[in-house]
Amino acid sequence: MTGLTGLSPLTVLAEASTPDGTAPPPLPGFVVSSFSPLVADVATRCLRARHGSAPVTAEAGARTAVVLVSGSGDVRMAEHVAAAVDAGTRIGPLLFFQAVPNSVAGHIAARWGLRGPVVCLCPVGEPRADGLAQARLLIDDGDADEVLVVLVEQAGAVETAHALLVSEGESR
Amino acid sequence: MREPPHRTGITGLAAVSALGRGAQAQLAGVLAGVAAFGPVRRFDVGGRKVTNAATLAGAGTLAEELTGVIRDACAGLTDAERARTPLVLGLHGHPDAGRSARATATVRYAAEVAARAGLAGVAKVYTCACVSGSTAIADAAAMIRAGRHGRVVVAAGYLVEPDQFALFDSGRALANDGAARPFSTGRSGLLLGDAVSAVVLEPGGDREVLAEVVGWGRAGDGCHAVRPDPAGRGMATAIGDALRRGGVSPAEVGYVNANASGAEGDSAEAAALRAVFGAAPVPVSSTKSVHGHGLEGSGLLELVVTVLAVAAGKLPVNAGHLGPDPACDVDLILDAPRRAATPYALTLNAAFGGANTALLVRAGS
Protein backbone atom coordinates (compact mmCIF):
# COMPACT_ATOMS: atom_id res chain seq x y z
CA MET A 1 0.00 0.00 0.00
CA THR A 2 2.95 2.33 -0.11
CA GLY A 3 1.87 3.70 -3.46
CA LEU A 4 4.69 6.20 -3.26
CA THR A 5 6.83 5.20 -6.17
CA GLY A 6 8.22 8.18 -8.01
CA LEU A 7 8.02 10.63 -5.12
CA SER A 8 11.18 12.45 -4.10
CA PRO A 9 13.17 10.79 -1.34
CA LEU A 10 13.04 12.25 2.15
CA THR A 11 16.05 14.08 3.56
CA VAL A 12 17.89 12.23 6.31
CA LEU A 13 18.59 14.85 8.99
CA ALA A 14 20.36 12.48 11.41
CA GLU A 15 21.07 8.80 11.70
CA ALA A 16 22.38 6.44 14.39
CA SER A 17 23.03 2.72 14.68
CA THR A 18 23.68 0.25 17.43
CA PRO A 19 26.42 -2.13 16.33
CA ASP A 20 25.18 -5.70 16.21
CA GLY A 21 25.44 -7.40 19.56
CA THR A 22 26.13 -4.23 21.52
CA ALA A 23 24.27 -4.19 24.81
CA PRO A 24 22.33 -0.95 25.25
CA PRO A 25 22.43 0.92 28.56
CA PRO A 26 19.64 -0.05 30.95
CA LEU A 27 16.40 1.86 30.61
CA PRO A 28 14.73 2.50 33.98
CA GLY A 29 11.27 0.96 34.13
CA PHE A 30 11.90 -1.44 31.28
CA VAL A 31 13.05 -4.89 32.40
CA VAL A 32 13.55 -8.46 31.14
CA SER A 33 14.20 -7.61 27.49
CA SER A 34 16.69 -5.42 25.63
CA PHE A 35 14.08 -4.43 23.02
CA SER A 36 13.01 -1.15 24.61
CA PRO A 37 16.53 -0.17 25.79
CA LEU A 38 17.78 -0.72 22.23
CA VAL A 39 15.08 1.53 20.83
CA ALA A 40 15.63 4.23 23.43
CA ASP A 41 19.41 4.22 23.01
CA VAL A 42 19.49 4.47 19.24
CA ALA A 43 16.65 7.01 19.14
CA THR A 44 18.36 9.17 21.73
CA ARG A 45 21.65 9.22 19.82
CA CYS A 46 19.84 10.07 16.60
CA LEU A 47 17.87 12.92 18.16
CA ARG A 48 20.97 14.26 19.92
CA ALA A 49 22.78 14.41 16.61
CA ARG A 50 20.10 16.74 15.31
CA HIS A 51 18.77 18.58 18.35
CA GLY A 52 21.49 18.37 20.99
CA SER A 53 19.77 17.81 24.30
CA ALA A 54 16.16 16.98 25.12
CA PRO A 55 13.55 18.30 24.73
CA VAL A 56 13.24 19.73 21.25
CA THR A 57 11.51 23.10 20.90
CA ALA A 58 7.75 23.06 21.37
CA GLU A 59 7.30 24.08 17.74
CA ALA A 60 9.44 21.23 16.42
CA GLY A 61 7.99 18.73 18.89
CA ALA A 62 4.44 19.38 17.78
CA ARG A 63 5.42 18.42 14.24
CA THR A 64 7.62 15.37 14.92
CA ALA A 65 6.24 11.83 14.65
CA VAL A 66 7.67 8.54 15.89
CA VAL A 67 7.52 5.44 13.68
CA LEU A 68 8.78 2.17 15.15
CA VAL A 69 9.35 -0.69 12.72
CA SER A 70 10.04 -4.23 13.90
CA GLY A 71 9.45 -7.55 12.23
CA SER A 72 10.38 -9.56 15.28
CA GLY A 73 8.68 -7.46 17.92
CA ASP A 74 9.85 -7.90 21.48
CA VAL A 75 10.59 -11.60 21.30
CA ARG A 76 12.31 -11.81 24.68
CA MET A 77 9.33 -10.24 26.41
CA ALA A 78 6.88 -12.54 24.63
CA GLU A 79 8.95 -15.57 25.62
CA HIS A 80 9.18 -14.42 29.24
CA VAL A 81 5.43 -13.83 29.55
CA ALA A 82 4.52 -17.09 27.80
CA ALA A 83 6.86 -19.06 30.08
CA ALA A 84 5.46 -17.42 33.19
CA VAL A 85 1.85 -18.02 32.11
CA ASP A 86 2.54 -21.65 31.20
CA ALA A 87 4.35 -22.26 34.49
CA GLY A 88 1.79 -20.39 36.55
CA THR A 89 4.42 -18.10 38.03
CA ARG A 90 4.03 -14.45 38.93
CA ILE A 91 4.32 -11.78 36.26
CA GLY A 92 5.83 -8.51 37.39
CA PRO A 93 3.52 -5.51 37.13
CA LEU A 94 6.13 -3.52 35.17
CA LEU A 95 5.77 -5.94 32.28
CA PHE A 96 2.16 -4.87 31.73
CA PHE A 97 3.02 -1.80 29.68
CA GLN A 98 6.19 -3.17 28.08
CA ALA A 99 4.32 -5.79 26.09
CA VAL A 100 3.57 -3.37 23.25
CA PRO A 101 6.13 -1.35 21.27
CA ASN A 102 4.10 1.82 21.75
CA SER A 103 5.38 2.22 25.28
CA VAL A 104 9.02 2.82 24.45
CA ALA A 105 7.95 5.01 21.52
CA GLY A 106 5.97 7.03 24.06
CA HIS A 107 8.96 7.10 26.39
CA ILE A 108 11.04 8.71 23.65
CA ALA A 109 8.23 11.09 22.72
CA ALA A 110 7.78 12.18 26.33
CA ARG A 111 11.49 12.69 26.94
CA TRP A 112 11.99 14.73 23.78
CA GLY A 113 8.60 16.45 23.69
CA LEU A 114 7.51 14.86 20.41
CA ARG A 115 3.76 15.25 19.91
CA GLY A 116 3.25 14.02 16.37
CA PRO A 117 1.66 10.64 15.60
CA VAL A 118 3.04 7.45 17.16
CA VAL A 119 2.90 4.50 14.73
CA CYS A 120 4.31 0.97 15.10
CA LEU A 121 4.58 -1.36 12.11
CA CYS A 122 5.63 -4.88 11.32
CA PRO A 123 7.39 -4.47 7.98
CA VAL A 124 5.94 -6.26 4.99
CA GLY A 125 8.92 -5.44 2.79
CA GLU A 126 12.37 -4.07 3.50
CA PRO A 127 12.09 -2.43 6.97
CA ARG A 128 13.87 0.82 6.12
CA ALA A 129 11.76 1.29 3.01
CA ASP A 130 8.57 0.55 4.93
CA GLY A 131 9.53 2.97 7.69
CA LEU A 132 10.35 5.71 5.22
CA ALA A 133 7.10 5.09 3.34
CA GLN A 134 5.18 5.60 6.60
CA ALA A 135 7.18 8.76 7.26
CA ARG A 136 6.35 9.98 3.75
CA LEU A 137 2.66 9.25 4.34
CA LEU A 138 2.57 11.24 7.60
CA ILE A 139 4.48 14.18 6.12
CA ASP A 140 2.38 14.29 2.95
CA ASP A 141 -0.82 14.03 4.97
CA GLY A 142 0.24 17.04 7.01
CA ASP A 143 0.63 15.42 10.43
CA ALA A 144 4.40 15.83 10.72
CA ASP A 145 7.34 17.79 9.36
CA GLU A 146 9.94 15.44 10.80
CA VAL A 147 9.66 11.74 11.55
CA LEU A 148 11.88 9.67 13.80
CA VAL A 149 12.01 6.20 12.23
CA VAL A 150 13.40 3.46 14.47
CA LEU A 151 14.17 0.01 13.05
CA VAL A 152 14.74 -2.75 15.60
CA GLU A 153 15.07 -6.51 15.25
CA GLN A 154 15.46 -9.08 17.97
CA ALA A 155 15.08 -12.34 16.07
CA GLY A 156 17.88 -14.86 16.44
CA ALA A 157 20.99 -14.24 18.46
CA VAL A 158 21.77 -10.83 16.99
CA GLU A 159 19.88 -7.72 17.96
CA THR A 160 20.05 -4.67 15.73
CA ALA A 161 18.75 -1.14 15.95
CA HIS A 162 18.93 1.83 13.62
CA ALA A 163 17.28 5.25 13.77
CA LEU A 164 16.77 7.99 11.20
CA LEU A 165 15.28 11.43 11.56
CA VAL A 166 13.81 12.45 8.22
CA SER A 167 11.99 15.38 6.71
CA GLU A 168 10.87 16.66 3.35
CA GLY A 169 13.93 18.87 3.15
CA GLU A 170 16.45 20.67 5.31
CA SER A 171 13.75 22.45 7.29
CA ARG A 172 15.91 24.43 9.71
CA MET B 1 -5.23 21.83 -12.48
CA ARG B 2 -5.35 20.04 -9.14
CA GLU B 3 -7.83 17.17 -9.02
CA PRO B 4 -10.48 17.26 -6.27
CA PRO B 5 -9.77 14.84 -3.40
CA HIS B 6 -11.23 11.37 -3.64
CA ARG B 7 -14.00 10.46 -1.21
CA THR B 8 -13.28 7.46 1.02
CA GLY B 9 -16.25 5.15 1.25
CA ILE B 10 -16.90 2.20 3.54
CA THR B 11 -18.55 -0.30 1.23
CA GLY B 12 -18.46 -3.38 3.43
CA LEU B 13 -18.03 -4.21 7.09
CA ALA B 14 -18.23 -7.16 9.43
CA ALA B 15 -17.37 -7.94 13.03
CA VAL B 16 -17.26 -10.63 15.67
CA SER B 17 -17.32 -9.88 19.39
CA ALA B 18 -18.92 -11.20 22.56
CA LEU B 19 -22.08 -9.55 21.25
CA GLY B 20 -22.20 -12.17 18.52
CA ARG B 21 -21.29 -12.70 14.90
CA GLY B 22 -22.06 -10.21 12.17
CA ALA B 23 -22.86 -6.54 11.92
CA GLN B 24 -26.44 -6.78 13.11
CA ALA B 25 -25.41 -8.63 16.27
CA GLN B 26 -23.04 -5.77 17.11
CA LEU B 27 -25.74 -3.15 16.52
CA ALA B 28 -28.35 -5.03 18.52
CA GLY B 29 -25.88 -5.60 21.33
CA VAL B 30 -24.76 -2.01 21.78
CA LEU B 31 -28.32 -0.70 21.49
CA ALA B 32 -29.51 -3.19 24.10
CA GLY B 33 -26.78 -1.82 26.34
CA VAL B 34 -26.33 -5.07 28.23
CA ALA B 35 -22.69 -5.72 29.05
CA ALA B 36 -21.32 -9.00 27.73
CA PHE B 37 -18.88 -9.61 30.58
CA GLY B 38 -18.75 -12.92 32.34
CA PRO B 39 -16.36 -15.48 33.76
CA VAL B 40 -13.57 -16.46 31.38
CA ARG B 41 -13.83 -20.14 30.40
CA ARG B 42 -11.50 -20.05 27.38
CA PHE B 43 -8.39 -20.62 29.52
CA ASP B 44 -7.45 -21.04 33.16
CA VAL B 45 -7.78 -17.82 35.14
CA GLY B 46 -7.42 -19.52 38.50
CA GLY B 47 -4.35 -17.53 39.47
CA ARG B 48 -5.71 -14.15 38.48
CA LYS B 49 -7.16 -11.41 40.66
CA VAL B 50 -9.81 -10.69 38.02
CA THR B 51 -11.53 -13.48 36.12
CA ASN B 52 -14.05 -11.68 33.87
CA ALA B 53 -13.96 -10.63 30.22
CA ALA B 54 -16.32 -10.40 27.23
CA THR B 55 -15.69 -13.52 25.18
CA LEU B 56 -17.65 -15.15 22.39
CA ALA B 57 -18.48 -18.77 23.12
CA GLY B 58 -17.24 -21.04 20.37
CA ALA B 59 -14.86 -18.54 18.83
CA GLY B 60 -12.30 -20.01 16.46
CA THR B 61 -8.66 -19.11 16.22
CA LEU B 62 -7.78 -15.50 15.49
CA ALA B 63 -6.79 -16.45 11.94
CA GLU B 64 -10.13 -18.18 11.41
CA GLU B 65 -12.11 -15.27 12.81
CA LEU B 66 -10.12 -12.73 10.80
CA THR B 67 -10.67 -14.75 7.66
CA GLY B 68 -14.38 -14.96 8.42
CA VAL B 69 -14.93 -11.25 8.95
CA ILE B 70 -12.90 -10.37 5.86
CA ARG B 71 -15.03 -12.70 3.75
CA ASP B 72 -18.21 -11.23 5.26
CA ALA B 73 -17.09 -7.66 4.69
CA CYS B 74 -16.16 -8.53 1.10
CA ALA B 75 -19.48 -10.24 0.34
CA GLY B 76 -20.27 -7.58 -2.25
CA LEU B 77 -17.06 -8.19 -4.17
CA THR B 78 -16.48 -10.78 -6.85
CA ASP B 79 -13.65 -13.28 -6.46
CA ALA B 80 -11.71 -11.34 -9.07
CA GLU B 81 -12.22 -8.06 -7.21
CA ARG B 82 -11.06 -9.63 -3.96
CA ALA B 83 -8.01 -11.03 -5.70
CA ARG B 84 -7.00 -7.47 -6.66
CA THR B 85 -7.60 -6.03 -3.17
CA PRO B 86 -4.79 -5.87 -0.60
CA LEU B 87 -5.17 -6.45 3.13
CA VAL B 88 -4.05 -4.06 5.84
CA LEU B 89 -4.01 -5.76 9.21
CA GLY B 90 -3.84 -4.60 12.83
CA LEU B 91 -2.81 -7.11 15.48
CA HIS B 92 -0.53 -7.64 18.46
CA GLY B 93 1.71 -10.02 16.58
CA HIS B 94 1.77 -13.71 15.81
CA PRO B 95 -0.59 -15.34 18.33
CA ASP B 96 2.04 -17.98 19.12
CA ALA B 97 4.86 -15.48 19.70
CA GLY B 98 6.86 -16.50 22.72
CA ARG B 99 6.02 -20.18 22.34
CA SER B 100 7.33 -20.97 18.87
CA ALA B 101 10.42 -19.68 17.09
CA ARG B 102 8.48 -19.82 13.83
CA ALA B 103 5.92 -17.47 15.34
CA THR B 104 8.22 -14.48 14.96
CA ALA B 105 7.05 -14.33 11.35
CA THR B 106 4.07 -12.05 11.93
CA VAL B 107 4.04 -10.88 8.35
CA ARG B 108 3.82 -14.49 7.11
CA TYR B 109 0.84 -15.00 9.41
CA ALA B 110 -0.80 -11.88 7.95
CA ALA B 111 -0.11 -13.10 4.41
CA GLU B 112 -1.74 -16.43 5.24
CA VAL B 113 -4.87 -14.63 6.46
CA ALA B 114 -4.97 -12.60 3.24
CA ALA B 115 -4.57 -15.75 1.14
CA ARG B 116 -7.30 -17.62 3.02
CA ALA B 117 -9.64 -14.69 2.50
CA GLY B 118 -8.88 -14.57 -1.20
CA LEU B 119 -7.22 -11.16 -1.11
CA ALA B 120 -4.25 -9.96 -3.13
CA GLY B 121 -1.81 -10.16 -0.24
CA VAL B 122 -0.85 -8.20 2.81
CA ALA B 123 0.10 -4.58 2.25
CA LYS B 124 0.78 -3.40 5.75
CA VAL B 125 0.69 -4.64 9.37
CA TYR B 126 0.07 -2.23 12.25
CA THR B 127 1.24 -3.22 15.73
CA CYS B 128 0.48 0.02 17.56
CA ALA B 129 -1.57 -1.51 20.38
CA CYS B 130 -5.04 -0.03 20.84
CA VAL B 131 -4.78 2.38 17.89
CA SER B 132 -3.73 -0.31 15.38
CA GLY B 133 -7.03 -0.52 13.51
CA SER B 134 -7.85 3.18 13.71
CA THR B 135 -4.39 4.23 12.51
CA ALA B 136 -4.74 1.79 9.63
CA ILE B 137 -8.04 3.40 8.66
CA ALA B 138 -6.59 6.91 8.91
CA ASP B 139 -3.61 6.02 6.75
CA ALA B 140 -5.69 4.17 4.18
CA ALA B 141 -8.17 7.05 3.98
CA ALA B 142 -5.30 9.48 3.48
CA MET B 143 -3.89 7.39 0.64
CA ILE B 144 -7.29 7.03 -1.01
CA ARG B 145 -8.06 10.74 -0.71
CA ALA B 146 -4.69 11.53 -2.29
CA GLY B 147 -5.49 9.16 -5.14
CA ARG B 148 -2.55 6.91 -4.29
CA HIS B 149 -4.45 3.67 -4.02
CA GLY B 150 -7.80 2.11 -4.62
CA ARG B 151 -9.85 -0.41 -2.72
CA VAL B 152 -8.31 -1.91 0.43
CA VAL B 153 -9.54 -4.19 3.19
CA VAL B 154 -8.61 -3.12 6.71
CA ALA B 155 -8.95 -5.83 9.34
CA ALA B 156 -7.92 -5.93 12.97
CA GLY B 157 -8.35 -8.47 15.67
CA TYR B 158 -7.84 -9.58 19.22
CA LEU B 159 -9.32 -12.58 20.99
CA VAL B 160 -8.98 -12.70 24.76
CA GLU B 161 -6.03 -14.99 25.51
CA PRO B 162 -3.97 -15.89 28.56
CA ASP B 163 -0.82 -13.79 28.04
CA GLN B 164 -2.35 -10.33 27.68
CA PHE B 165 -4.94 -11.25 30.29
CA ALA B 166 -2.14 -12.08 32.73
CA LEU B 167 -0.27 -8.86 31.93
CA PHE B 168 -3.33 -6.67 32.42
CA ASP B 169 -4.19 -8.55 35.60
CA SER B 170 -0.69 -8.16 37.04
CA GLY B 171 -0.74 -4.48 36.13
CA ARG B 172 -4.00 -4.07 38.09
CA ALA B 173 -5.61 -2.62 34.99
CA LEU B 174 -8.72 -4.81 35.08
CA ALA B 175 -11.97 -3.85 36.77
CA ASN B 176 -12.39 -5.67 40.05
CA ASP B 177 -16.18 -5.51 40.18
CA GLY B 178 -17.08 -7.34 36.99
CA ALA B 179 -18.00 -4.29 34.91
CA ALA B 180 -16.27 -1.68 32.81
CA ARG B 181 -17.66 1.73 33.77
CA PRO B 182 -16.36 4.39 31.37
CA PHE B 183 -16.45 7.96 32.74
CA SER B 184 -18.29 6.76 35.85
CA THR B 185 -17.63 7.41 39.47
CA GLY B 186 -16.34 4.28 41.14
CA ARG B 187 -14.75 2.90 37.97
CA SER B 188 -11.97 0.45 38.72
CA GLY B 189 -10.50 -0.47 35.35
CA LEU B 190 -11.16 -1.99 31.97
CA LEU B 191 -12.26 -5.48 31.01
CA LEU B 192 -10.92 -7.22 27.95
CA GLY B 193 -13.16 -8.35 25.10
CA ASP B 194 -13.02 -10.17 21.78
CA ALA B 195 -12.91 -7.79 18.83
CA VAL B 196 -12.34 -8.97 15.26
CA SER B 197 -13.50 -6.73 12.43
CA ALA B 198 -13.00 -5.93 8.78
CA VAL B 199 -13.90 -2.90 6.70
CA VAL B 200 -13.73 -2.42 2.94
CA LEU B 201 -12.52 1.07 2.05
CA GLU B 202 -12.53 2.43 -1.46
CA PRO B 203 -12.74 5.64 -3.43
CA GLY B 204 -16.38 6.69 -3.60
CA GLY B 205 -17.95 6.01 -6.93
CA ASP B 206 -19.65 3.00 -8.33
CA ARG B 207 -20.64 0.96 -5.28
CA GLU B 208 -23.10 1.71 -2.51
CA VAL B 209 -21.37 3.49 0.35
CA LEU B 210 -22.48 2.58 3.88
CA ALA B 211 -20.56 5.48 5.34
CA GLU B 212 -17.81 7.86 4.37
CA VAL B 213 -14.60 8.42 6.32
CA VAL B 214 -14.58 12.20 6.00
CA GLY B 215 -11.83 13.03 8.46
CA TRP B 216 -9.10 11.57 10.61
CA GLY B 217 -6.51 12.70 13.08
CA ARG B 218 -3.51 11.07 14.73
CA ALA B 219 -1.45 12.83 17.36
CA GLY B 220 0.81 12.02 20.28
CA ASP B 221 0.70 13.31 23.83
CA GLY B 222 4.48 13.55 24.25
CA CYS B 223 3.75 13.31 27.94
CA HIS B 224 4.37 9.84 29.38
CA ALA B 225 5.25 6.35 28.20
CA VAL B 226 1.85 4.96 29.06
CA ARG B 227 -0.36 7.43 30.90
CA PRO B 228 -2.45 9.91 28.87
CA ASP B 229 -1.85 13.63 29.10
CA PRO B 230 -4.27 14.70 31.89
CA ALA B 231 -5.27 17.71 29.79
CA GLY B 232 -6.04 15.49 26.80
CA ARG B 233 -4.03 17.69 24.44
CA GLY B 234 -3.03 14.92 22.05
CA MET B 235 -6.58 13.67 21.76
CA ALA B 236 -7.88 17.21 21.30
CA THR B 237 -5.37 17.68 18.47
CA ALA B 238 -6.47 14.43 16.83
CA ILE B 239 -10.15 15.43 17.06
CA GLY B 240 -9.41 18.89 15.70
CA ASP B 241 -7.47 17.43 12.78
CA ALA B 242 -10.32 15.04 11.95
CA LEU B 243 -12.85 17.89 11.96
CA ARG B 244 -10.58 20.11 9.86
CA ARG B 245 -10.00 17.39 7.26
CA GLY B 246 -13.72 16.73 7.13
CA GLY B 247 -14.67 20.39 6.92
CA VAL B 248 -17.07 19.73 9.78
CA SER B 249 -17.67 22.02 12.76
CA PRO B 250 -17.97 20.61 16.30
CA ALA B 251 -21.67 21.54 16.31
CA GLU B 252 -22.29 19.25 13.35
CA VAL B 253 -21.02 16.15 15.18
CA GLY B 254 -23.90 14.15 16.59
CA TYR B 255 -22.11 11.40 18.47
CA VAL B 256 -18.76 10.41 19.92
CA ASN B 257 -17.89 6.78 20.57
CA ALA B 258 -15.23 7.48 23.15
CA ASN B 259 -12.09 5.54 23.88
CA ALA B 260 -12.91 5.52 27.60
CA SER B 261 -12.45 2.07 29.07
CA GLY B 262 -13.30 2.47 32.73
CA ALA B 263 -9.74 3.40 33.66
CA GLU B 264 -8.68 6.38 35.72
CA GLY B 265 -7.39 8.04 32.54
CA ASP B 266 -10.92 8.45 31.15
CA SER B 267 -10.78 11.95 32.59
CA ALA B 268 -8.06 12.89 30.07
CA GLU B 269 -10.41 12.12 27.19
CA ALA B 270 -13.19 14.06 28.90
CA ALA B 271 -10.82 17.04 29.07
CA ALA B 272 -10.14 16.70 25.35
CA LEU B 273 -13.87 16.59 24.57
CA ARG B 274 -14.51 19.69 26.66
CA ALA B 275 -11.64 21.47 24.94
CA VAL B 276 -13.07 20.77 21.49
CA PHE B 277 -16.81 20.90 22.08
CA GLY B 278 -16.86 23.50 24.85
CA ALA B 279 -20.26 24.81 25.79
CA ALA B 280 -22.10 22.73 23.17
CA PRO B 281 -21.45 19.22 24.43
CA VAL B 282 -21.87 16.29 22.08
CA PRO B 283 -23.61 13.03 23.05
CA VAL B 284 -20.97 10.55 24.22
CA SER B 285 -20.79 6.89 25.08
CA SER B 286 -18.11 4.25 25.10
CA THR B 287 -19.24 0.97 23.65
CA LYS B 288 -16.34 -0.71 25.47
CA SER B 289 -18.82 -0.70 28.36
CA VAL B 290 -20.70 -3.43 26.48
CA HIS B 291 -18.18 -5.35 24.32
CA GLY B 292 -15.06 -4.75 26.39
CA HIS B 293 -11.64 -3.55 25.36
CA GLY B 294 -10.48 -5.36 22.25
CA LEU B 295 -6.90 -3.96 22.34
CA GLU B 296 -5.52 -4.10 18.78
CA GLY B 297 -9.03 -4.92 17.56
CA SER B 298 -10.77 -2.16 19.50
CA GLY B 299 -10.50 0.76 17.09
CA LEU B 300 -11.94 -1.09 14.13
CA LEU B 301 -14.78 -2.74 16.08
CA GLU B 302 -15.73 0.66 17.47
CA LEU B 303 -15.67 2.16 13.98
CA VAL B 304 -18.00 -0.60 12.77
CA VAL B 305 -20.36 -0.09 15.72
CA THR B 306 -20.33 3.68 15.27
CA VAL B 307 -21.18 3.45 11.57
CA LEU B 308 -24.00 0.99 12.22
CA ALA B 309 -25.47 3.02 15.08
CA VAL B 310 -25.45 6.35 13.28
CA ALA B 311 -26.82 4.76 10.13
CA ALA B 312 -29.66 3.33 12.23
CA GLY B 313 -30.20 6.74 13.81
CA LYS B 314 -29.76 5.39 17.34
CA LEU B 315 -26.87 6.18 19.67
CA PRO B 316 -25.70 3.45 22.11
CA VAL B 317 -25.78 3.91 25.85
CA ASN B 318 -22.77 4.11 28.13
CA ALA B 319 -23.37 0.98 30.21
CA GLY B 320 -22.13 0.36 33.75
CA HIS B 321 -22.65 3.93 34.91
CA LEU B 322 -22.87 4.34 38.69
CA GLY B 323 -22.95 8.12 38.85
CA PRO B 324 -21.20 11.25 37.60
CA ASP B 325 -17.50 11.86 38.09
CA PRO B 326 -16.85 15.62 38.09
CA ALA B 327 -13.57 14.95 36.27
CA CYS B 328 -15.52 13.32 33.41
CA ASP B 329 -18.08 16.03 32.73
CA VAL B 330 -19.37 14.97 29.31
CA ASP B 331 -22.89 14.47 27.95
CA LEU B 332 -23.18 10.73 28.52
CA ILE B 333 -25.93 8.71 26.88
CA LEU B 334 -27.44 6.85 29.81
CA ASP B 335 -30.48 4.64 30.35
CA ALA B 336 -31.63 4.40 26.72
CA PRO B 337 -30.31 5.05 23.20
CA ARG B 338 -30.77 8.55 21.85
CA ARG B 339 -31.80 9.52 18.36
CA ALA B 340 -28.93 10.62 16.16
CA ALA B 341 -29.35 14.31 15.41
CA THR B 342 -26.77 14.44 12.62
CA PRO B 343 -25.09 11.89 10.32
CA TYR B 344 -21.63 12.79 11.61
CA ALA B 345 -19.92 10.79 14.33
CA LEU B 346 -16.44 10.52 15.80
CA THR B 347 -14.84 7.38 17.10
CA LEU B 348 -11.82 7.95 19.32
CA ASN B 349 -9.01 5.66 20.37
CA ALA B 350 -5.91 5.99 22.49
CA ALA B 351 -3.03 3.70 23.31
CA PHE B 352 0.10 3.39 25.35
CA GLY B 353 2.78 5.69 24.10
CA GLY B 354 0.38 8.62 24.15
CA ALA B 355 -0.97 7.67 20.72
CA ASN B 356 -4.38 9.15 19.90
CA THR B 357 -6.62 8.76 16.86
CA ALA B 358 -9.93 10.28 15.81
CA LEU B 359 -12.01 9.05 12.89
CA LEU B 360 -14.89 11.17 11.61
CA VAL B 361 -17.55 9.33 9.65
CA ARG B 362 -20.72 10.38 7.87
CA ALA B 363 -23.36 7.70 7.73
CA GLY B 364 -25.00 6.98 4.40
CA SER B 365 -23.85 7.94 0.95
Side-chain angles (χ1 to χ4, degrees):
Chain A
M1 200 179 74
T2 58
L4 302 171
T5 307
L7 295 178
S8 59
L10 295 170
T11 299
V12 178
L13 303 172
E15 204 160 359
S17 283
T18 297
D20 293 0
T22 304
L27 183 63
F30 291 82
V31 296
V32 171
S33 170
S34 60
F35 184 92
S36 294
L38 270 171
V39 172
D41 176 54
V42 78
T44 298
R45 286 190 283 114
C46 181
L47 289 166
R48 275 186 190 149
R50 174 67 178 173
H51 293 291
S53 59
V56 303
T57 65
E59 182 185 9
R63 303 284 304 158
T64 303
V66 180
V67 172
L68 180 54
V69 181
S70 180
S72 67
D74 192 342
V75 178
R76 305 289 169 264
M77 178 64 62
E79 290 171 344
H80 178 87
V81 173
V85 167
D86 293 347
T89 55
R90 180 179 174 275
I91 292 176
L94 277 179
L95 303 188
F96 161 51
F97 64 85
Q98 292 182 51
V100 289
N102 276 53
S103 298
V104 71
H107 169 87
I108 297 161
R111 183 170 177 186
W112 286 86
L114 313 180
R115 291 181 285 118
V118 174
V119 180
C120 300
L121 299 174
C122 173
V124 171
E126 197 277 318
R128 181 182 173 115
D130 280 13
L132 292 176
Q134 182 66 31
R136 163 62 76 187
L137 190 162
L138 295 174
I139 290 170
D140 285 359
D141 201 33
D143 276 359
D145 293 331
E146 296 184 5
V147 180
L148 174 69
V149 179
V150 182
L151 317 171
V152 58
E153 292 301 333
Q154 210 180 32
V158 178
E159 300 176 332
T160 62
H162 190 82
L164 311 92
L165 186 66
V166 298
S167 73
E168 182 67 63
E170 183 60 36
S171 55
R172 284 188 300 280
Chain B
M1 195 172 77
R2 188 183 176 90
E3 287 186 20
H6 297 259
R7 297 172 63 192
T8 304
I10 295 175
T11 58
L13 50 77
V16 167
S17 77
L19 302 176
R21 294 183 181 280
Q24 291 312 309
Q26 311 311 313
L27 178 61
V30 296
L31 292 180
V34 177
F37 304 115
V40 174
R41 306 193 192 287
R42 186 174 290 162
F43 50 87
D44 180 18
V45 290
R48 307 296 166 222
K49 293 183 282 290
V50 172
T51 57
N52 287 337
T55 57
L56 177 68
T61 65
L62 182 58
E64 290 167 345
E65 298 296 349
L66 281 166
T67 304
V69 293
I70 293 168
R71 284 179 175 155
D72 284 355
C74 293
L77 301 178
T78 65
D79 289 351
E81 287 171 330
R82 280 207 310 273
R84 294 194 299 270
T85 303
L87 172 66
V88 173
L89 192 57
L91 78 173
H92 182 77
H94 196 299
D96 297 329
R99 291 185 174 80
S100 163
R102 186 180 169 278
T104 56
T106 300
V107 72
R108 191 181 310 152
Y109 174 86
E112 288 170 3
V113 170
R116 289 168 65 166
L119 298 180
V122 61
K124 215 164 172 183
V125 178
Y126 289 80
T127 54
C128 27
C130 309
V131 296
S132 294
S134 52
T135 304
I137 291 284
D139 287 356
M143 298 288 273
I144 289 173
R145 179 172 287 188
R148 289 182 180 165
H149 74 73
R151 180 187 300 122
V152 61
V153 173
V154 178
Y158 172 73
L159 293 175
V160 178
E161 43 65 57
D163 292 4
Q164 292 302 311
F165 194 96
L167 285 163
F168 277 75
D169 187 68
S170 74
R172 297 184 180 274
L174 301 178
N176 59 17
D177 62 353
R181 307 183 188 281
F183 296 123
S184 171
T185 187
R187 63 188 183 276
S188 62
L190 61 86
L191 287 174
L192 297 175
D194 292 343
V196 186
S197 313
V199 165
V200 182
L201 279 186
E202 57 188 295
D206 298 337
R207 288 172 13 93
E208 180 186 2
V209 172
L210 305 173
E212 185 181 349
V213 180
V214 297
W216 55 90
R218 13 169 157 62
D221 285 338
C223 181
H224 190 270
V226 289
R227 287 198 293 271
D229 176 359
R233 282 172 288 203
M235 182 60 87
T237 299
I239 297 170
D241 286 348
L243 296 176
R244 175 182 52 78
R245 284 191 171 101
V248 172
S249 71
E252 293 177 89
V253 178
Y255 173 57
V256 174
N257 191 346
N259 174 70
S261 63
E264 185 183 348
D266 291 359
S267 56
E269 187 179 21
L273 290 169
R274 287 196 300 274
V276 174
F277 292 95
V282 59
V284 175
S285 66
S286 169
T287 57
K288 287 187 179 79
S289 62
V290 176
H291 54 62
H293 198 323
L295 303 182
E296 285 79 5
S298 60
L300 203 60
L301 175 62
E302 290 156 27
L303 172 66
V304 167
V305 165
T306 300
V307 165
L308 294 168
V310 178
K314 297 177 182 176
L315 308 181
V317 300
N318 191 76
H321 195 68
L322 296 175
D325 175 353
C328 299
D329 183 18
V330 295
D331 181 15
L332 287 177
I333 304 167
L334 302 172
D335 302 323
R338 286 191 206 169
R339 290 175 59 85
T342 85
Y344 290 103
L346 281 162
T347 180
L348 309 180
N349 290 94
F352 283 171
N356 303 280
T357 61
L359 301 174
L360 177 65
V361 295
R362 181 175 59 204
S365 55

